[in-house]
Amino acid sequence: RISTGKVDQLKEEVIRLQKDELQNQRKQFCESQSETVCKLQTTLKSELKSYSDAVASSFSTQVPMVSAEDIAGVVENVVKTEDRSKNIILFGVEENDGVEVEKAVSD
């Protein structure tokens, strides 16, 4: 037969071992969590670009701007051949009342 004192001692031992196990599990969890956070931070730093970098790279792959001289040359060729059946679309030139488009293009 086991005495009451021995039962109490065994209960205390079980409780102490369970506390130790919980502490070990918490420690392992915190270590794995901090390791995951470190990996995530490293990945984010290496993979994410700033907004300005993303915008700059998207503009670098676009078609280059057409110079005013190129547009003037095209207009001159059209006027010389007097082919009035074709329309020219100029983007970026405002069409307002009182604005002479021909003068704005030639400038």
Side-chain angles (χ1 to χ4, degrees):
R1 224 171 151 212
I2 300 177
S3 68
T4 311
K6 184 74 171 169
V7 170
D8 289 340
Q9 185 181 12
L10 289 173
K11 283 182 185 178
E12 289 175 8
E13 179 71 16
V14 167
I15 291 172
R16 184 186 62 77
L17 289 172
Q18 287 176 339
K19 284 182 182 179
D20 288 346
E21 179 63 24
L22 282 174
Q23 285 178 344
N24 285 336
Q25 287 178 355
R26 284 185 185 136
K27 183 179 177 183
Q28 287 176 349
F29 176 75
C30 288
E31 287 173 355
S32 70
Q33 189 177 19
S34 67
E35 183 180 325
T36 302
V37 168
C38 281
K39 287 180 181 178
L40 181 62
Q41 286 175 341
T42 302
T43 302
L44 288 175
K45 285 179 184 177
S46 65
E47 297 297 324
L48 284 182
K49 296 189 271 186
S50 70
Y51 179 75
S52 60
D53 290 341
V55 170
S57 67
S58 70
F59 278 115
S60 67
T61 59
Q62 288 185 353
V63 177
M65 297 292 290
V66 178
S67 68
E69 292 82 21
D70 292 339
I71 293 174
V74 169
V75 171
E76 283 179 26
N77 288 340
V78 170
V79 170
K80 284 179 186 176
T81 59
E82 301 217 14
D83 185 3
R84 302 290 181 168
S85 66
K86 295 182 181 176
N87 293 324
I88 296 175
I89 299 174
L90 297 175
F91 294 97
V93 177
E94 294 182 18
E95 288 189 56
N96 295 328
D97 292 338
V99 174
E100 296 178 24
V101 177
E102 293 82 15
K103 184 178 180 189
V105 171
S106 65
D107 290 344

